[in-house]
Amino acid sequence: MSETPVKQQNTAAFYGQAVLSFVVAVVATTIGIFKLEADTWVRAFLGIAVLYLVTSAFTLAKVIRDRQEAGQIVSRVDQARLEKLLAAHDPFEKL
């Protein structure tokens, strides 16, 4: 009786576009930092800041994904409990 949710999967084109976009952004930022007319320590600071930003973005994406998956698991458990209760309930049972 339960409906199995369809697992959404990204297409290869979407995955490729996301990877390509990330690579272009990192390369463009790196080139911009190296072409910047500033002292070496300023460029190094900006490089470290970009690395920190990238790792923070990955961590945030993982936390959001984990929270969403945990919510789906709780929802599945609640749905299973409800289905069990409905299956055990007989509306024509005499009181």
Side-chain angles (χ1 to χ4, degrees):
M1 276 264 165
S2 68
E3 295 178 18
T4 305
V6 177
K7 185 174 182 179
Q8 293 180 338
Q9 199 158 12
N10 295 329
T11 64
F14 180 75
Y15 180 77
Q17 184 268 335
V19 170
L20 183 64
S21 176
F22 175 77
V23 169
V24 167
V26 169
V27 168
T29 305
T30 303
I31 290 171
I33 289 172
F34 282 116
K35 296 282 185 178
L36 186 66
E37 294 182 15
D39 291 338
T40 304
W41 71 270
V42 172
R43 288 185 291 189
F45 174 79
L46 291 174
I48 295 295
V50 168
L51 289 176
Y52 181 61
L53 180 63
V54 168
T55 58
S56 296
F58 278 112
T59 303
L60 178 61
K62 182 187 179 312
V63 167
I64 290 171
R65 184 200 63 206
D66 290 348
R67 180 178 285 179
Q68 180 184 11
E69 287 178 354
Q72 289 175 348
I73 291 171
V74 170
S75 176
R76 287 183 197 156
V77 170
D78 289 341
Q79 182 67 28
R81 287 181 184 158
L82 177 62
E83 287 179 6
K84 182 179 177 183
L85 282 172
L86 290 175
H89 177 68
D90 184 8
F92 299 110
E93 180 182 326
K94 292 184 181 182
L95 298 174

